[in-house]
Amino acid sequence: MSDVGDKRAAESHDEAPSPKKAKKPIRIWCDGCFDMMHYGHANALRQAKTHGDYLIVGVHSDEEIAKNKGPPVMHEDERYAAVRACKWVDEVVEAAPYVTDVDILKKHNVDWCIHGDDIITTADGEDTYGKVKAAGLFKTVPRTRGVSTTDLVGRMLLLTKTHHRGDDEDVENAQEMSEGPQPKQSPYTRLSKFVPTTRQLMQFSVAPEPKPDDKIVYIDGTFDLFHVGHIKILEKAKAEGDYLIVGVHPDKVANRIKGSNHPIMNLHERVLSVLSCRYVNEVVIGAPYKVTATFIEQQRIAVVLHGSDVTPPPCDDGSDPYEVPKQQGIYKTLESPSSLTTMDVIERIFENRKAYEERNRKKQLKEIAEAQQ
C-alpha cells in the first residue's frame, strides 16, 4: 500500500462514526369543546395523531363555549378528564382559547394545528382558525359523519328508538367514518344510524393479545353516552389486573334493562367509544348478559367486576347474571369512583330543554348553509 493509502487508512480508523441525528418529534395540536365525548371526537383525534408523533389537545372552558355556542352538557372538568382518557392523546391543555392563535402553538412547540373539515366560527362569525391558516400551520382531517353532540342531544329530546340496531336491518345505509363526499345537507345534526366497517373497528382496536401469564379482568355494561363515570370505573377495573376486557351489551338487552328509548347510542357507537379509552384492551361486541362458565373459560377471565352504583337486574329466567363467577369465587364489586350516571347526563338535557333545542336548531341551519357553499 502507498504512503497516501496508509495515511488515509489510519485516518479512517481513528475517526469515530458520527452519531445519527435524532428525529424531531412532530407535535400536533387539536382543540375543541369535546362535549359528550363520543367516537366522532375520538376518530378525529386518531386521524390527527397519524400526522405526527405527539398529540396535544386543547379543551375550551365552559365560559368560552357558552359565549360562542350555547351551554355545554358536560362540565369542563368532565370534558378534560374524558379527553385525557382517549388513547391517542398525549397531553391536554385546559381552558384553551376558542380562537386558536399562533402564540399558543408556539408556546407548545406545535408543528401543525389539525381540525375537522367543517367550518368553526365564533359568535361574531370569525373563523376560529383564520390566524393559524394565514400562518400556513393548518391541516384538516375528514369529519366523522353520522354523529355529533347535537345529534345525540336530538336523540334524547325526541325519545325515539330509530338509532337502535336490529339483527335484520339492512346495512346499506351505513355511514362511513371518514370517507366520501359530503352531502348537500347537514351530515352531522340529523338523526342517524351508524354501522362500522371491519377496517374502522381495526383502527380503534390496536391492543395486542394478552400474554399467557396476564391476569385478565372482565367488566360489562351498556356504556351509553360514554362519560367520565364510565371512564373512572374502567380505570379502576384495569388496576385489578393486566388486561381489561369490556363486554358491551346489545341494544335489545340495554333497552330491556334501561327502558324508554335507551340506549341513546347504538351498539356499534358504544363499542367504538369504549375502544377509544386508554384503559381498555379488548371489547366483546354484543356481550351476553349472563356470564357463563364457558365464556369465562374461553376468555381466560380471572376476575369478573361490576360497579357498585347499579344493581344488575335478573336475567329473563330470573337468575343472577353473575351467578357463575360468584360460585367460582372470582366476582368482585368495585366501588364506583364517580357518581355521574347516564341518567344524570340525560336529566341535564331535559332541565335545559329549550336552550338545547334552540342550540340544535341554530347548529342545523349553520351546517346546512356551510354544506351548500
Side-chain angles (χ1 to χ4, degrees):
M1 185 180 288
S2 66
D3 292 342
V4 174
D6 290 340
K7 186 178 180 182
R8 284 178 177 170
E11 289 174 351
S12 175
H13 181 74
D14 293 339
E15 286 177 2
S18 59
K20 285 187 178 180
K21 209 169 186 179
K23 180 187 172 186
K24 176 186 174 292
I26 297 173
R27 294 167 67 86
I28 302 297
W29 172 276
C30 280
D31 56 26
C33 304
F34 301 100
D35 196 16
M36 295 174 63
M37 179 85 173
H38 51 69
Y39 67 92
H41 294 133
N43 190 46
L45 297 177
R46 179 194 65 79
Q47 291 182 90
K49 186 68 176 278
T50 65
H51 288 264
D53 307 295
Y54 190 86
L55 178 60
I56 306 166
V57 181
V59 184
H60 308 317
S61 67
D62 291 347
E63 182 182 0
E64 283 286 279
I65 296 171
K67 185 169 67 176
N68 289 282
K69 292 182 70 174
V73 178
M74 310 304 290
H75 305 151
E76 58 190 39
D77 58 325
E78 296 166 342
R79 294 183 290 106
Y80 299 153
V83 174
R84 280 195 177 93
C86 180
K87 63 186 177 185
W88 294 289
V89 175
D90 297 297
E91 182 181 340
V92 170
V93 174
E94 299 180 2
Y98 200 81
V99 176
T100 309
D101 57 33
V102 176
D103 288 341
I104 196 166
L105 302 188
K106 287 181 177 178
K107 177 181 177 181
H108 294 279
N109 298 313
V110 169
D111 295 287
W112 292 105
C113 173
I114 294 182
H115 194 269
D117 54 10
D118 52 323
I119 300 170
I120 304 296
T121 57
T122 66
D124 299 326
E126 178 188 356
D127 182 349
T128 57
Y129 296 102
K131 298 172 185 176
V132 178
K133 289 174 182 177
L137 299 173
F138 187 75
K139 289 184 178 182
T140 63
V141 293
R143 180 172 169 176
T144 303
R145 288 187 288 156
V147 68
S148 69
T149 301
T150 313
D151 174 35
L152 296 177
V153 169
R155 295 183 196 181
M156 284 180 266
L157 293 174
L158 288 176
L159 290 173
T160 67
K161 298 182 185 180
T162 56
H163 52 280
H164 291 183
R165 290 293 308 155
D167 296 336
D168 56 349
E169 286 187 4
D170 190 350
V171 297
E172 290 181 359
N173 293 324
Q175 297 288 336
E176 286 290 339
M177 284 178 66
S178 60
E179 296 177 357
Q182 298 294 314
K184 294 297 182 182
Q185 58 175 311
S186 171
Y188 312 120
T189 58
R190 68 171 186 264
L191 294 181
S192 59
K193 295 179 183 179
F194 171 76
V195 185
T197 64
T198 53
R199 176 180 56 80
Q200 291 156 0
L201 286 171
M202 288 174 66
Q203 287 171 342
F204 271 58
S205 181
V206 294
E209 290 192 8
K211 298 170 186 169
D213 57 346
D214 276 350
K215 182 181 180 181
I216 298 176
V217 178
Y218 179 74
I219 189 169
D220 59 6
T222 302
F223 298 102
D224 197 15
L225 299 177
F226 195 66
H227 53 71
V228 71
H230 297 131
I231 291 166
K232 294 295 184 184
I233 197 74
L234 293 178
E235 181 181 13
K236 198 168 182 178
K238 180 62 178 287
E240 293 287 324
D242 306 301
Y243 194 92
L244 178 61
I245 300 177
V246 180
V248 181
H249 296 144
D251 295 339
K252 287 180 181 178
V253 170
N255 185 252
R256 180 180 71 82
I257 297 169
K258 304 289 185 179
S260 186
N261 68 326
H262 297 279
I264 303 302
M265 302 179 79
N266 69 43
L267 173 62
H268 300 115
E269 295 172 315
R270 291 181 285 118
V271 164
L272 289 178
S273 294
V274 174
L275 274 173
S276 70
C277 180
R278 66 172 68 251
Y279 308 114
V280 177
N281 296 105
E282 183 65 284
V283 170
V284 178
I285 303 172
Y289 186 62
K290 185 161 189 172
V291 181
T292 64
T294 301
F295 182 79
I296 291 169
E297 182 181 1
Q298 287 176 342
Q299 303 296 330
R300 294 172 38 215
I301 295 168
V303 183
V304 175
L305 303 172
H306 195 275
S308 61
D309 58 332
V310 177
T311 301
C315 300
D316 289 333
D317 61 4
S319 62
D320 181 349
Y322 300 103
E323 179 182 14
V324 172
K326 286 177 181 177
Q327 290 173 349
Q328 294 184 358
I330 62 170
Y331 179 84
K332 182 176 180 180
T333 301
L334 278 185
E335 189 68 32
S336 298
S338 171
S339 61
L340 184 70
T341 67
T342 299
M343 282 309 302
D344 292 333
V345 177
I346 294 171
E347 284 171 10
R348 291 180 188 180
I349 299 293
F350 279 94
E351 284 172 4
N352 297 281
R353 180 171 188 140
K354 288 186 178 179
Y356 288 120
E357 285 177 336
E358 179 62 14
R359 189 184 79 169
N360 277 20
R361 186 187 69 81
K362 289 180 179 178
K363 180 80 169 175
Q364 173 80 15
L365 292 174
K366 176 175 174 285
E367 288 177 346
I368 289 173
E370 290 168 358
Q372 290 174 341
Q373 289 178 1

